[in-house]
């Protein structure tokens, strides 16, 4: 069996580091068939270890972000390289993390000494202690800005509150160390102030780059661990299950409300139809009663008038012939028009009778 410190491409049998996703998947299937414990009778332990390494290699190369990180730091990961400056001097406050970017650094997902939880718990405890000790060594014991004690990685039985607090803390990590060992030049060798300023500027750039690279390395390791943490997988499954239950309850509630609306609409239609029928019956009753009243009035009028219908004559004056007197219904005489006025009017010519006198208007 090959050594545990083997490139992921070599472990899958890929000679081309620019292989696409389909080639990686085909190579993974061949490697799984080759090292599966059921096909290596008598050598089950080494086959199981190789099988786990193949699985780890595929998990890394099938993820574009993780594959890019691996390609950029491939040599350092294979060597488990420590952080060193140009002179080869190792910083005592910077923890080596490259050897942790491999599934072969732990054995199983138990709480034993070589298990997943114990290996990474110790690594991040050392990382947190080095951050605090390095800051105090550079700035003093009671200096402002000292980082707090980070949450523990926990065990396989830790609650999600503890696990979530750990990942929330380290996913936003940025080192507080000064990275003075990354300086390219010694400012004491400067001949004048202008050269010293240029040296300080170059050293500041180098320190900033070193801090950014180290912080990115820690954050990338957190993503590497989180992807493989069984507690995270279980939490995602629980959240997905809870989400499905909520969606189911929501659908049932919507269906219940819809059914209630339909039933309410049907009841309203029935009540509206009953109300309309009742209104029509009441209207018919009112019409029937009115017709009965009219019939009663007609019968009563026919009885009082002696059986003869007809319109009553209007009371008023009776017109008489010319020369006779006018009289009203009471018998009182009304005088006729004066005789001289009537005689004068009768002597007028017909044309003059209907001619109007024109009146000039000013």
């Amino acid at each position: 069996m090959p050594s545990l410190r083997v490139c992921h491409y070599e472990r899958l049998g890929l000679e081309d580091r620019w292989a696409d996703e389909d080639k990686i998947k085909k190579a993974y299937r061949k490697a799984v068939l080759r090292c599966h414990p059921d096909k290596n009778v008598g050598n089950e332990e080494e086959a199981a270890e190789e099988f786990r390494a193949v699985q780890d290699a595929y998990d890394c190369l099938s993820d574009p972000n993780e594959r890019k990180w691996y390609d950029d730091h491939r040599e350092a990961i294979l060597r488990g390289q420590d952080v060193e400056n140009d002179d080869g001097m190792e910083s005592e406050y910077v923890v080596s993390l490259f050897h942790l970017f491999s599934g072969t650094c732990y054995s199983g997902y138990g709480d034993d000494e070589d298990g997943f939880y114990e290996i990474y718990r110790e690594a991040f405890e050392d990382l947190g202690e080095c951050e605090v000790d390095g800051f105090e060594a550079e700035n003093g014991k009671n200096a402002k800005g000292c980082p707090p004690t980070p949450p523990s990685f926990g065990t396989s039985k830790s609650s999600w509150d503890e696990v979530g607090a750990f990942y929330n803390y380290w996913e936003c990590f940025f080192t507080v160390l000064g990275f003075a060992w990354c300086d390219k030049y010694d400012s004491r060798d400067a001949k004048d102030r202008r050269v010293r300023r240029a040296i300080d500027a170059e050293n500041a750039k180098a320190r900033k780059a070193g801090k950014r690279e180290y912080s990115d390395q820690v954050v990338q390791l957190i993503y590497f661990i989180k992807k493989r943490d069984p507690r995270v997988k279980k939490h995602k499954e629980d959240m997905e299950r809870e989400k499905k239950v909520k969606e189911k309850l929501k659908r049932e509630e919507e269906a219940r409300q819809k059914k209630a609306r339909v039933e309410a609409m049907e009841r309203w239609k029935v009540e509206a139809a009953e109300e309309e029928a009742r209104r029509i019956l009441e209207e018919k009753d009112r019409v029937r009663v009115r017709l009965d009243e009219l019939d009663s009035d007609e019968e009563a009028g026919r009885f009082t008038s002696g059986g003869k219908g007809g319109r009553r004559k209007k009371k008023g004056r009776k017109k008489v012939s010319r020369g006779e007197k006018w009289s009203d219904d009471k018998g009182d005489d009304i005088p006729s028009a004066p005789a001289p006025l009537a005689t004068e009017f009768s002597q007028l010519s017909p044309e003059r009778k209907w001619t109007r006198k024109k009146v000039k208007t000013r």
Side-chain angles (χ1 to χ4, degrees), residues 8 52-53 56 99-108 120 224 228:
H8 289 332
R52 187 163 61 88
D56 181 66
H99 68 285
L100 299 174
F101 284 91
S102 175
T104 59
C105 68
Y106 57 88
S107 178
Y120 288 113
F224 178 88
R228 293 158 176 79

Side-chain angles (χ1 to χ4, degrees), residues 3-13 31 34 50 53-54 57:
S3 174
L4 296 180
R5 290 266 179 140
V6 177
C7 174
H8 289 332
Y9 293 96
E10 295 178 5
R11 193 176 293 280
L12 295 181
R34 182 181 66 252
E50 176 66 15
V54 169

Side-chain angles (χ1 to χ4, degrees), residues 45-299:
E45 293 184 2
E46 293 185 6
E49 190 174 359
E50 176 66 15
F51 181 82
R52 187 163 61 88
V54 169
Q55 182 66 45
D56 181 66
Y58 177 72
D59 291 340
C60 177
L61 299 182
S62 60
D63 188 333
N65 295 329
E66 193 170 340
R67 181 182 180 183
K68 183 178 183 305
W69 172 265
Y70 178 80
D71 292 340
D72 294 340
H73 303 83
R74 176 172 171 271
E75 298 298 330
I77 292 174
L78 293 178
R79 295 196 306 266
Q81 178 184 351
D82 295 331
V83 177
E84 299 178 352
N85 60 8
D86 292 340
D87 296 334
M89 178 185 291
E90 179 183 346
S91 173
E92 60 177 317
Y93 298 115
V94 176
V95 180
S96 177
L97 301 175
F98 281 111
H99 68 285
L100 299 174
F101 284 91
S102 175
T104 59
C105 68
Y106 57 88
S107 178
Y109 290 93
D111 295 323
D112 53 339
E113 184 178 358
D114 297 330
F116 176 84
Y117 301 104
E118 185 65 21
I119 292 294
Y120 288 113
R121 184 182 62 80
E122 291 182 356
F124 280 94
E125 285 181 356
D126 293 343
L127 183 59
E129 292 176 359
C130 288
E131 285 288 308
V132 174
D133 295 343
F135 181 85
E136 292 179 350
E138 295 174 357
N139 302 280
K141 192 168 184 64
N142 296 323
K144 185 179 180 180
C146 184
T149 302
S152 175
F153 185 65
T155 63
S156 60
K157 299 180 181 179
S158 297
S159 64
W160 176 249
D161 293 337
E162 299 175 2
V163 177
F166 171 83
Y167 284 112
N168 291 337
Y169 178 87
W170 288 105
E171 283 177 349
C172 302
F173 172 79
F174 194 83
T175 182
V176 297
L177 301 180
F179 276 69
W181 57 88
C182 292
D183 290 350
K184 296 182 177 180
Y185 308 101
D186 190 350
S187 59
R188 294 173 297 182
D189 298 337
K191 297 179 180 180
D192 52 29
R193 184 165 48 186
R194 182 180 61 82
V195 176
R196 187 180 299 107
R197 288 179 179 175
I199 290 175
D200 291 342
E202 290 295 326
N203 290 339
K205 291 180 181 179
R207 293 184 185 187
K208 185 177 180 180
K211 293 176 71 172
R212 183 172 59 252
E213 182 179 358
Y214 183 63
S215 300
D216 291 345
Q217 181 182 346
V218 174
V219 173
Q220 188 65 30
L221 179 61
I222 284 293
Y223 290 148
F224 178 88
I225 298 170
K226 189 175 183 179
K227 182 180 177 180
R228 293 158 176 79
D229 194 340
R231 300 171 300 180
V232 177
K233 295 180 181 179
K234 182 178 181 300
H235 177 70
K236 289 182 178 180
E237 292 175 357
D238 293 341
M239 294 295 292
E240 189 68 24
R241 190 181 305 109
E242 184 178 354
K243 181 180 178 182
K244 290 181 179 179
V245 172
K246 289 182 178 179
E247 291 178 352
K248 181 180 179 181
L249 294 176
K250 183 179 179 181
R251 290 193 299 268
E252 292 177 354
E253 180 65 18
E254 291 177 352
R256 186 187 65 79
Q257 293 180 359
K258 183 178 180 180
K259 183 179 179 181
R261 289 195 299 269
V262 172
E263 292 177 352
M265 180 61 70
E266 293 296 330
R267 287 195 301 270
W268 177 83
K269 290 181 179 179
V270 172
E271 293 174 358
E274 293 176 353
E275 183 66 23
E276 182 66 16
R278 185 163 48 251
R279 187 189 64 78
I280 293 174
L281 291 176
E282 292 176 355
E283 185 67 22
K284 287 182 177 180
D285 292 340
R286 284 195 298 269
V287 172
R288 188 180 298 108
V289 169
R290 180 60 179 162
L291 292 176
D292 293 341
E293 291 177 353
L294 293 176
D295 292 342
S296 300
D297 292 344
E298 186 177 357
E299 290 293 334

